Amino acid sequence: MINQFEIATNISNDLIDLCKPPEEPERWNAGLVLPYALTKGTRGYIEKVALQINIAYRDACYDACLVMVRRLIETLIIECFECYKMRSKIEDGNGNYFFLRDLIIAFLAESAWKPSQNIKRYLPALKEVGDKSAHSKNYNAFRQD
């Protein structure tokens, strides 16, 4: 005799497995904000954050997109200082990195590189809108953000 409860349980379990999101996001059509070529072959964690930025934007998850943009900015600033062996310029006395606001100030003031006028203009603005998406209970980002 067929146990209907067992069959229903098996089908339910199969559906749960089939509906799980993938372990890794798909890379197809994911260059909406940052072309994949910009981060391909860099560091895996940079590639993954850039991919998540694109997927969040594609799926209209604009707060998530901006939070990830904020994270990418922070990561890239730290990478710059580490590349130039100047990590101590962006750490407190306990070896912790500065907050993003202070990382941006240090990055823009550093004489080892020359940020473009666009970077000087938009970096603080990107941080500000990323902060709103990450920390404001009343703010919701839109595509134009």
Side-chain angles (χ1 to χ4, degrees):
M1 184 166 141
I2 298 176
N3 182 338
Q4 293 175 341
F5 178 75
E6 184 179 337
I7 293 171
T9 301
N10 289 339
I11 291 172
S12 178
N13 290 338
D14 289 345
L15 286 174
I16 288 170
D17 286 340
L18 289 172
C19 294
K20 285 181 183 174
E23 289 292 324
E24 292 288 326
E26 296 178 26
R27 295 194 186 279
W28 60 269
N29 195 22
L32 302 168
V33 177
L34 295 170
Y36 179 57
L38 284 179
T39 60
K40 182 180 180 184
T42 59
R43 304 220 189 305
Y45 52 89
I46 292 172
E47 286 184 42
K48 194 164 191 170
V49 168
L51 181 62
Q52 290 179 51
I53 288 168
N54 289 330
I55 290 170
Y57 182 86
R58 180 194 69 200
D59 292 346
C61 299
Y62 302 119
D63 286 303
C65 180
L66 285 169
V67 169
M68 295 309 289
V69 166
R70 186 185 186 287
R71 179 176 169 190
L72 181 62
I73 289 168
E74 185 174 44
T75 299
L76 293 176
I77 289 172
I78 291 168
E79 290 286 332
C80 287
F81 279 92
E82 288 181 348
C83 179
Y84 280 78
K85 311 274 190 263
M86 298 185 300
R87 182 177 173 159
S88 63
K89 289 187 174 188
I90 56 168
E91 291 179 330
D92 65 16
N94 296 322
N96 300 310
Y97 291 119
F98 294 159
F99 290 116
L100 182 56
R101 174 191 68 239
D102 298 321
L103 288 173
I104 290 173
I105 291 168
F107 177 80
L108 295 177
E110 182 52 53
S111 61
W113 47 75
K114 294 183 181 182
S116 71
Q117 289 303 313
N118 283 335
I119 290 174
K120 290 177 183 178
R121 178 177 177 193
Y122 293 115
L123 199 55
L126 283 170
K127 180 220 176 283
E128 182 180 326
V129 74
D131 285 352
K132 287 180 187 176
S133 287
H135 304 297
S136 175
K137 68 180 183 101
N138 299 323
Y139 180 79
N140 290 114
F142 296 93
R143 185 175 61 208
Q144 64 268 20
D145 294 329

